[in-house]
Amino acid sequence: MSNIKEDYIRKLSQIIEIGRLIIEKSKYLDVKSKKAFVNSGDEYLKIINEKYCTLTQLKSISKMFLPFWNEAIGVDIELFWIELKNHNLDFERKDELIFALAKNRFRRVDQGFSARNNWEEMKDMKSLKDRFLDSEIEQIGKIIEVDESKRVKILKKCLEKKQIPQSQYLKFGECWAYLSYCNLLEKYFDQEQKDELSDIHRNFKSV
């Protein structure tokens, strides 16, 4: 058991360090996000190396660390799993792109806008071409296009009606976040329209 645990500590420490290096070099994350990620990794390493942890506890730490790398979509995520494969680190990957292909949509809005922002670089990565057919990669691209189009239509409809339907309040927020994160608001709305959308959101009253 001791050897098994020591091997797991080594592997877990490695994936945390790999994650740190990728995040530090990322061109898709801001400084604040990078700092938060690195700090959390440092805390995990401190627990692993300074406290006596059972194998079960170590596996729990891996479950706390891996969700970002399993649930997010983007170039950084691809690089992380490439490095794990190169280092023979056999942690299970849950690929959200498989879900997107099966359901023809992304599970969450943050996955959608990350895919939108990363896609031009991501679609040509070998790791994607190794996992998916050309037709599937093309389909993911179309899912991204449709996702963007639907979100723009929702905002334009609210602008046209000058109100947010009660059932669409959360969706409005998601659409606004999507276009803001992807720097697309200026592509679809002028300043007057953006101000009006802000007023519509601010004046929303739930019933």
Side-chain angles (χ1 to χ4, degrees), residues 39-76:
N39 287 344
S40 66
D42 287 344
E43 287 299 315
Y44 290 136
L45 287 173
K46 186 176 180 181
I47 293 170
I48 292 167
N49 294 313
E50 294 184 8
K51 295 185 178 181
Y52 179 83
C53 293
T54 65
L55 184 58
T56 300
Q57 289 171 326
L58 290 169
K59 289 182 178 180
S60 293
I61 292 172
S62 74
K63 287 180 180 178
M64 290 187 286
F65 175 76
L66 283 171
F68 170 77
W69 301 105
N70 268 324
E71 296 174 10
I73 294 172
V75 171
D76 295 334

Side-chain angles (χ1 to χ4, degrees), residues 158-175:
C158 291
L159 190 61
E160 180 184 337
K161 294 189 174 183
K162 300 188 182 302
Q163 65 175 357
I164 304 171
Q166 292 290 323
S167 62
Q168 292 282 296
Y169 180 73
L170 292 178
K171 184 65 70 175
F172 179 97
E174 287 184 353
C175 295

